[in-house]
Amino acid sequence: IYLSVDMDVLDPALKTGIGTREPSVITAAEMFRGVRRVESAANPVARDAIEVSLPWDRPGAITAQAAHRIVFEGISTWAWRQTDEPDR
């Protein structure tokens, strides 16, 4: 499984670096929990976060930071599973 998260689904306050700012209902915390749940259940072999435009991502690169955290949550959940289940 390849886990790809489109940043367009996040709350508009967290996506200044997105070309299409549509209203949505998913907060960053809900997205982090969702990524951890998918990682725990499906064990993806790769992951990414798409739809981040750095030139538009102002102030403070909050879209890039959210994308970074999404990928980090996936990798850390994967690493936790590896230590929890050494036979994998």
Side-chain angles (χ1 to χ4, degrees):
I1 290 178
Y2 184 94
L3 176 62
S4 183
V5 177
D6 190 331
M7 298 299 290
D8 286 336
V9 302
L10 285 179
D11 180 19
L14 290 175
K15 55 183 189 180
T16 59
I18 303 293
T20 55
R21 294 187 185 104
E22 300 284 333
S24 58
V25 296
I26 297 177
T27 66
E30 291 169 333
M31 178 60 75
F32 302 151
R33 281 193 301 273
V35 167
R36 287 191 300 264
R37 180 174 287 167
V38 169
E39 286 278 348
S40 295
N43 199 20
V45 296
R47 62 210 43 85
D48 71 2
I50 61 170
E51 294 291 327
V52 178
S53 174
L54 295 179
W56 294 347
D57 199 12
R58 295 185 180 95
I62 58 176
T63 310
Q65 290 179 27
H68 170 266
R69 175 76 185 272
I70 287 168
V71 174
F72 177 78
E73 290 292 334
I75 292 171
S76 61
T77 303
W78 171 82
W80 176 79
R81 286 189 68 191
Q82 299 306 307
T83 58
D84 191 38
E85 302 172 13
D87 295 339
R88 291 190 121 192

